[in-house]
Amino acid sequence: MSKVTTTRRGLLRAGAGAGLIVAAPSIVRAQGAAWPNKPITIVVNFPAGGLTDGIARAFGQSVSQATGQQVIVDNKPGASGNIGAALVARAPADGYTFLHSVSSTLIQNRVMFKTLGFDPDKDLTVVSGTSSGVLPVVVHKSLPAEVKDLKSFIEYAKKNKVNFGSWALGSSAHIFAQTLNEKYGLTIEVVTYKGEAPMWQDMGAGQLQAAMGSPQAMNALVVKGDVRGIAAPSKVRARIFPDVPTSLEQGFTDDAFTVSGWLALAAPAATPKDIIKRMSDLWVAAADSEPGKKMMDSFALVEKPMPHEEVMADYERLKKTLIPRIVALGIQPV
């Protein structure tokens, strides 16, 4: 198997002990009935500017409007999302600290890293899951015009040095590129970032030949003509590239080429069930709020968020399918 993995500026493997969120030293069960009676913090474990951050801010605004309490979005990027997730895992389980992440933080990372700083299954519970929608695969304008689909991209990568941007180690983009390496004998270099925003900055500067991510985050590059779509790794085409066929339409039937995943709103595992239920309901309803609908539309998202019980069932399904995929690819934990 041929593969190369590069980490941009090195992946932070710092312990999650620093910068813990200050909150009440004890959990008062009676607070659950009056919840919320103070500001809520949502930790986003990626930088501002991407899909995860945008949905957290728009949905958080809706939660604030519905409850009358301030919702603070606190960006804590690093180590492919592990730092922010560990902070929330160690926060008091009183319903005032949540994590907004991607499913890969909770699933893929457990086999991508030797240590996470938290246990996804024991320390966190998923409150709601919002589909990440279609994440198109694009190439930079510097690639020849004949590179217009996956087949021609593979042929180009056989003869030329190619790198591929991933918003985090072990992300769907990472798996997609490494599967191309595995199945077609390529040496695509996967470059990992602390989120989408810096990845698209490098793509715009011509430092990346290919990448995969959310339509809104890449939209400025699409408008300027810096990138063009070559595949929609999903069951439906991307609205931003309506003429670009899905991977399945192009004959790529491997599960790794049809991305499934969601944005995870999570809480410390011991958070009272009534608070989990209330926040889940608020998050699902946020998709129909004015700020929520605007953000959903800007990212071309059409599926409503999954409530707590539904997303937990899907969480188990994804663990069973994605973890073996990473193990099979031979990606070594760092």
Side-chain angles (χ1 to χ4, degrees), residues 8-306:
R8 188 188 192 230
R9 299 180 181 175
L11 282 173
L12 297 178
R13 283 188 277 177
L20 288 178
I21 297 169
V22 177
S26 63
I27 301 170
V28 181
R29 179 68 185 180
Q31 284 184 339
W35 182 92
N37 56 27
K38 64 180 182 179
I40 297 168
T41 295
I42 299 177
V43 174
V44 175
N45 57 346
F46 292 101
L51 173 61
T52 312
D53 177 75
I55 291 295
R57 292 180 186 277
F59 283 27
Q61 182 181 348
S62 174
V63 171
S64 180
Q65 292 171 348
T67 62
Q69 291 293 338
Q70 183 183 13
V71 174
I72 302 165
V73 174
D74 187 12
N75 295 88
K76 296 290 185 182
S80 292
N82 290 339
I83 290 178
L87 289 173
V88 176
R90 285 166 169 72
D94 56 3
Y96 291 96
T97 305
F98 293 86
L99 170 72
H100 197 239
S101 183
V102 290
S103 53
S104 61
T105 298
L106 306 179
I107 301 172
Q108 286 98 307
N109 280 13
R110 68 182 71 199
V111 289
M112 299 299 301
F113 290 84
K114 294 177 182 177
T115 58
L116 296 179
F118 68 102
D119 186 318
D121 295 326
K122 294 181 180 179
D123 297 337
L124 295 168
T125 186
V126 185
V127 178
S128 180
T130 307
S131 172
S132 52
V134 182
L135 306 176
V137 179
V138 300
V139 296
H140 190 260
K141 64 182 180 181
S142 61
L143 270 64
E146 54 265 27
V147 180
K148 58 185 179 180
D149 52 24
L150 279 180
K151 182 178 179 180
S152 55
F153 177 70
I154 291 168
E155 292 305 311
Y156 179 82
K158 287 179 179 179
K159 304 171 185 176
N160 299 274
K161 177 177 171 56
V162 171
N163 58 29
F164 195 107
S166 166
W167 61 85
L169 192 68
S171 69
S172 299
H174 191 165
I175 294 174
F176 188 98
Q178 291 289 44
T179 304
L180 287 175
N181 282 337
E182 175 74 12
K183 295 185 73 69
Y184 300 101
L186 307 178
T187 56
I188 295 172
E189 180 181 14
V190 181
V191 185
T192 58
Y193 293 79
K194 297 177 183 177
E196 282 197 79
M199 179 181 78
W200 294 121
Q201 288 175 3
D202 277 3
M203 175 65 95
Q207 296 178 26
L208 290 175
Q209 283 80 58
M212 184 176 104
S214 60
Q216 175 64 17
M218 72 170 74
N219 187 62
L221 300 182
V222 176
V223 172
K224 291 192 295 184
D226 288 340
V227 299
R228 62 180 180 272
I230 62 170
S234 54
K235 296 179 180 179
V236 297
R237 296 190 181 193
R239 287 199 297 181
I240 197 171
F241 299 116
D243 297 328
V244 176
T246 67
S247 301
L248 286 171
E249 289 175 315
Q250 296 184 43
F252 293 82
T253 58
D254 191 290
D255 288 343
F257 298 136
T258 301
V259 174
S260 61
W262 25 261
L263 308 177
L265 179 71
T271 302
K273 294 184 184 302
D274 54 343
I275 294 179
I276 294 295
K277 175 65 165 60
R278 178 86 192 284
M279 188 61 166
S280 175
D281 291 344
L282 287 168
W283 208 252
V284 171
D288 291 321
S289 69
E290 183 177 348
K293 285 190 290 187
K294 183 176 179 180
M295 187 59 64
M296 293 273 288
D297 186 63
S298 69
F299 280 98
L301 305 181
V302 295
E303 297 179 60
K304 295 295 176 63
M306 292 180 283

